[in-house]
Amino acid sequence: MNIKEYTDFLRINGVEINFDATFFSGQCFRWKKVEYGYIGVVNRKIVLVYPQDNNTFDIYNCSPDEFKKFFYWYFDLDKDYDLILKELSEHDEILKKAVEKYRGMRLLNQEPFECMISFIISQNNNIKRIQILVERLCQAYGEKIEYRGFSSWTFPEIEDLKKVSIEDLKRLGLGYRAEYIKDAIAKLDEGKIDFESLESLSSDEARKILKTVKGIGDKVANCILLYSLQKYDVFPVDVWVKRALREYYGIENTKQLRQFIKSFGELAGYAQLFLFHYIRNNNK
């Protein structure tokens, strides 16, 4: 990977990233497509990404030091994707097709609090609706930011949301999820949940703690573990995923499901990302 600094952007060369698949696979909710590229709010700032070819992209509002310290981690660039995708391709024919079609898709490593609240909001929602609700929350309680004629809002901090009532959140359209968000904030504020501590625990131990939050079940807990706490051995499963596994793999019960997930080892999260982005789009 090479980083070349220009007046107002960096050009990153030697990294294969399919930004469409990465940003719109259901793992994050604050990136949007714009002319020639993408705009997102990451690390409390507006960031622009303009792909040049399959292995080159420009990133605006990001210094070389910030790219190395934050975005290198955010885009999962410390992982050997050639090796990961080779192992996934050898697992079965369906995954092989998924990897071939979405080879440049990356797993994003996100800020834990934003990830937690976003996936609480995601329950029984489609991606477009989740994006709308997350944006409303940011507009109501985040900080307004601007860059190159674009304006947006940062994701609220815990302190910003502590004083917000359940009724305030419901007015944003969050419904029953408002109570779950308030419970999550209370447990974080009281220290009953500490993200740094969760990183040092096994996935099973960390999942149990996350599930003490009202409304967080296995699916949401696993999304938080996978997309913000680097627990790559988890495999988020909801009703749709179970239905797809039954259709594509003939998995009918919990025992078969556990064996299937276990077969991926530390790559289970990557397998889930590629597999279900492929199946979701293949069924359209």
Side-chain angles (χ1 to χ4, degrees):
M1 183 184 74
N2 298 309
I3 302 174
K4 187 173 182 180
E5 186 175 9
Y6 289 84
T7 303
D8 55 355
F9 69 91
L10 302 179
R11 177 155 290 171
I12 313 299
N13 179 261
V15 178
E16 183 181 13
I17 303 183
N18 179 333
F19 289 103
D20 243 31
T22 298
F23 292 150
F24 308 124
S25 57
Q27 60 175 318
C28 64
F29 307 105
R30 299 217 67 201
W31 284 94
K32 297 175 183 176
K33 211 162 187 177
V34 293
E35 191 175 12
Y36 306 121
Y38 308 87
I39 182 170
V41 180
V42 187
N43 208 21
R44 299 188 67 77
K45 65 197 301 186
I46 293 172
V47 177
L48 302 174
V49 170
Y50 294 110
Q52 300 303 311
D53 57 43
N54 288 341
N55 297 287
T56 307
F57 66 92
D58 298 338
I59 183 167
Y60 286 75
N61 206 14
C62 175
S63 68
D65 190 53
E66 184 180 12
F67 188 87
K68 291 171 186 174
K69 287 184 177 178
F70 179 80
F71 284 95
Y72 191 79
W73 166 81
Y74 179 75
F75 286 124
D76 213 30
L77 298 179
D78 60 331
K79 307 297 190 309
D80 185 344
Y81 267 66
D82 286 339
L83 180 59
I84 290 171
L85 300 185
K86 180 177 182 294
E87 289 193 32
L88 293 181
S89 295
E90 292 172 352
H91 187 274
D92 63 74
E93 281 302 311
I94 299 169
L95 255 175
K96 184 178 180 181
K97 290 177 183 177
V99 167
E100 287 173 352
K101 188 166 185 179
Y102 298 110
R103 182 170 184 84
M105 182 161 58
R106 291 260 163 181
L107 191 150
L108 297 177
N109 296 301
Q110 302 168 58
E111 192 281 318
F113 178 63
E114 178 175 345
C115 188
M116 172 187 267
I117 301 304
S118 296
F119 277 100
I120 288 174
I121 290 172
S122 77
Q123 296 180 70
N124 299 312
N125 261 328
N126 58 49
I127 291 175
K128 187 175 181 180
R129 178 69 177 163
I130 300 163
Q131 290 173 328
I132 290 170
L133 292 174
V134 169
E135 198 65 19
R136 283 182 191 168
L137 183 69
C138 295
Q139 289 180 19
Y141 303 109
E143 176 187 339
K144 190 169 185 179
I145 49 177
E146 297 181 344
Y147 178 70
R148 293 175 68 94
F150 293 100
S151 63
S152 192
W153 289 262
T154 61
F155 196 87
E157 302 274 14
I158 294 174
E159 288 299 317
D160 298 324
L161 295 177
K162 274 171 59 177
K163 58 183 178 291
V164 178
S165 70
I166 290 174
E167 289 306 314
D168 289 333
L169 293 174
K170 283 185 175 180
R171 276 191 281 273
L172 299 178
L174 291 166
Y176 64 86
R177 303 169 194 85
E179 190 176 343
Y180 302 164
I181 291 169
K182 286 298 291 182
D183 192 57
I185 291 164
K187 286 187 168 62
L188 286 162
D189 186 49
E190 294 162 6
K192 292 178 179 177
I193 292 179
D194 177 75
F195 291 123
E196 284 188 21
S197 298
L198 293 182
E199 286 183 15
S200 65
L201 300 176
S202 70
S203 296
D204 286 343
E205 292 170 324
R207 186 185 300 109
K208 285 178 185 175
I209 293 173
L210 287 171
K211 286 173 65 178
T212 62
V213 174
K214 192 178 294 184
I216 290 186
D218 285 331
K219 164 70 188 306
V220 171
N222 282 335
C223 287
I224 298 165
L225 293 174
L226 178 59
Y227 300 129
S228 70
L229 296 173
Q230 292 75 63
K231 303 294 187 186
Y232 303 114
D233 61 330
V234 304
F235 192 102
V237 174
D238 59 13
V239 173
W240 184 86
V241 170
K242 285 182 179 178
R243 191 183 309 127
L245 285 174
R246 189 182 306 118
E247 178 184 345
Y248 281 79
Y249 289 93
I251 293 172
E252 298 285 352
N253 56 55
T254 302
K255 183 179 179 181
Q256 290 176 328
L257 177 60
R258 285 176 182 161
Q259 289 173 339
F260 180 75
I261 294 171
K262 194 174 180 181
S263 70
F264 295 108
E266 292 296 317
L267 298 182
Y270 292 96
Q272 199 271 3
L273 183 66
F274 276 88
L275 188 57
F276 292 101
H277 189 61
Y278 173 75
I279 291 175
R280 189 181 294 112
N281 287 283
N282 202 40
N283 283 344
K284 285 183 178 178

